[in-house]
Amino acid sequence: MAEAALSATESAIENQRIGGLQLRVAALCALVQICDGYDVNAIGVSVPSLTHAWNLPGPAFTQAFLWSSIGIMLGALSAGPLGDRVGRKPLLLASLTIFGLASLLSAFAGSLFVLSILRFFTGVGIGGAFPGAATLTGDYAPHRLRATMIMATFTGAPIGGFLCGQLAGFLLPRFGWPSVFLVGGIAPLLMVPALALWLPESPRFLAAKGRLSPREAALLQRLDITPGHAAAQGVDLAQANPIKMLFAQGYALQTVLLWIVFFCSLMNLFLFVYWLPEVLHLTGMTPAEAARATSFRELGAILAVLYLGLLIDRFGPERALALHYAVGVVFIAAIALVAMPYLLLAIVIFFCGMTIIGSQTGANAACGKLYPARMRTSGLGWALGIGRLGGIAAPVLGGYLLSLGMPPTQIFLSACLFAVIAAAATGLLALRGVHAEPLAGQSAA
């Protein structure tokens, strides 16, 4: 699809050098993702203890899982238009505050109903922070390395999940389940003032801003952008409804395929996030042992980040990511069908994380690379939001299969089918056509 040439401002942003500023933004956004990853996993690792504390069966917690996923979906859907029209930084600060407070209050929940409400608001904040952090990282990355840098920041999500599992293994036997939520609430709230001080706004929003502080003007100059009205003329910001743009100018097929990929991918991710600790507990592990074993899934996801982003930047998501989803079927089937000793199980869980969570991280990076800046937060936010329908279905599916009396591990057999569909839809992205990054319908400056 032919588009107008890059403006001088867009050219500077798209070809920026990687330096201290870019690394600082990526590091701060990775810290946001660590908090996100921890709080996503907090409910899953707490359920084995809560079943004893509240004398409830595991499937009863489908309610809490469900409302958490609904909150994440609503947060992601609303984050897209807000991030593309208002700015990335305000979105991140608000999201961190919401899920920090909700997680903190979860430690004092006295019933499943109250916990479910609080998990809903935790999800709203998490849903907004994920696309906000990824998009801001992409705004401070050159196009040639955008998927790599976005994936690098997404190491934070599996690191947060790993820390959650390891800390839960220590905290649960000593301080009980509320301690897991206390940590998950205090950490993001402490980060809010740090981000307000050190995290810059997107350079595109600064270039379009009427009055700049000396610090903001200096930041643009570091990117070889001359502050002032002229810079704003060629900035790729949303001038219309960002959601409508996802289906205009040849992006419709790409959007639909990405939504299918995200639905299937997040179905699998949340099936494992919510139910793996309880399934391991049902097979004979203590809550602490189940939490530790589950954390190896996150280590596998970190390994994927080290190479998958580079492969996507080099070969495109159609080949690199599709193969990654397909390989995951083998490890998912192994967990579902083969009884293994602890060490071998931990290794298979590691590779499951590499291919399930790692592939989802790759999908996030691919989405951030395939959409232009004017709709990047909306593109990723709505893909995550629609994908959360899979995240909503996952706890219900897992709870239903367990209630049927199936062998606990076999509830994961359904994930094999969704991995195959995700692989096929990702491969079909090759049919989307080629899009350029520039501004359509705007003259070069």
Side-chain angles (χ1 to χ4, degrees):
M1 165 180 160
E3 293 196 20
L6 283 171
S7 69
T9 300
E10 279 297 319
S11 180
I13 294 172
E14 291 299 296
N15 297 288
Q16 60 190 286
R17 297 179 297 274
I18 304 297
L21 171 63
Q22 289 76 13
L23 295 177
R24 169 161 54 99
V25 172
L28 289 172
C29 288
L31 287 175
V32 173
Q33 302 286 13
I34 288 175
C35 293
D36 269 17
Y38 182 100
D39 276 313
V40 165
N41 285 272
I43 182 64
V45 300
S46 299
V47 162
S49 292
L50 282 164
T51 57
H52 298 290
W54 290 352
N55 195 28
L56 292 171
F61 287 88
T62 298
Q63 176 181 327
F65 296 156
L66 180 63
W67 281 105
S68 180
S69 288
I70 291 173
I72 293 174
M73 180 186 72
L74 293 178
L77 292 176
S78 58
L82 286 173
D84 283 332
R85 299 301 293 268
V86 178
R88 324 306 196 198
K89 184 174 178 177
L91 172 64
L92 280 176
L93 294 179
S95 298
L96 275 173
T97 302
I98 290 169
F99 80 75
L101 287 173
S103 181
L104 190 64
L105 292 173
S106 295
F108 304 98
S111 68
L112 180 56
F113 175 74
V114 173
L115 180 64
S116 299
I117 292 174
L118 291 171
R119 290 308 301 176
F120 168 79
F121 286 104
T122 305
V124 169
I126 291 171
F130 263 122
T135 306
L136 188 56
T137 301
D139 287 346
Y140 280 94
H143 182 263
R144 69 185 185 280
L145 291 174
R146 182 160 292 135
T148 300
M149 286 193 67
I150 291 175
M151 280 204 72
T153 64
F154 268 102
T155 56
I159 288 172
F162 176 74
L163 290 175
C164 183
Q166 293 296 311
L167 280 174
F170 172 80
L171 294 171
L172 288 171
R174 293 168 176 82
F175 306 106
W177 63 268
S179 59
V180 176
F181 294 111
L182 285 174
V183 173
I186 292 171
L189 291 177
L190 289 176
M191 279 193 60
V192 170
L195 292 182
L197 182 62
W198 291 313
L199 185 68
E201 179 54 276
S202 164
R204 291 182 174 87
F205 280 86
L206 293 180
K209 189 176 177 181
R211 292 183 179 180
L212 296 176
S213 68
R215 184 178 179 182
E216 291 170 336
L219 184 147
L220 288 182
Q221 289 171 344
R222 288 178 66 176
L223 295 173
D224 297 324
I225 299 171
T226 302
H229 180 70
Q233 295 302 307
V235 179
D236 192 9
L237 292 177
Q239 304 298 325
N241 184 344
I243 310 307
K244 185 177 180 181
M245 287 192 289
L246 297 178
F247 294 92
Q249 301 174 351
Y251 286 98
L253 177 61
Q254 171 180 302
T255 295
V256 171
L257 288 173
L258 285 170
W259 286 6
I260 293 171
V261 170
F262 273 67
F263 177 88
C264 295
S265 186
L266 287 169
M267 167 75 86
N268 283 355
L269 189 152
F270 280 96
L271 189 64
F272 275 80
V273 164
Y274 289 145
W275 287 116
L276 185 59
E278 178 62 11
V279 164
L280 296 179
H281 179 48
L282 291 172
T283 60
M285 293 186 188
T286 67
E289 288 171 341
R292 290 194 187 98
T294 299
S295 70
F296 288 105
R297 178 191 61 206
E298 315 302 325
L299 280 183
I302 295 169
L303 175 63
V305 167
L306 299 179
Y307 64 85
L308 188 54
L310 290 170
L311 292 178
I312 291 172
D313 276 326
R314 178 69 185 274
F315 300 107
E318 305 89 341
R319 286 180 283 179
L321 196 52
L323 178 62
H324 215 252
Y325 276 117
V327 170
V329 175
V330 177
F331 301 109
I332 296 169
I335 284 186
L337 298 173
V338 182
M340 293 171 276
Y342 184 88
L343 179 58
L344 181 57
L345 178 63
I347 293 172
V348 174
I349 289 174
F350 174 91
F351 284 109
C352 262
M354 185 182 79
T355 51
I356 295 173
I357 304 177
S359 294
Q360 176 56 44
T361 305
N364 296 336
C367 199
K369 185 180 179 71
L370 295 177
Y371 284 112
R374 59 187 173 272
M375 59 177 106
R376 190 169 293 144
T377 309
S378 295
L380 179 55
W382 271 68
L384 285 167
I386 297 300
R388 296 301 176 185
L389 293 173
I392 290 169
V396 177
L397 176 63
Y400 172 71
L401 294 176
L402 283 175
S403 70
L404 292 179
M406 292 180 63
T409 57
Q410 290 189 14
I411 72 170
F412 297 123
L413 277 177
S414 59
C416 295
L417 173 62
F418 293 112
V420 169
I421 296 173
T426 307
L428 289 173
L429 282 171
L431 302 177
R432 75 189 188 281
V434 178
H435 299 276
E437 279 291 301
L439 295 170
Q442 293 191 28
S443 60

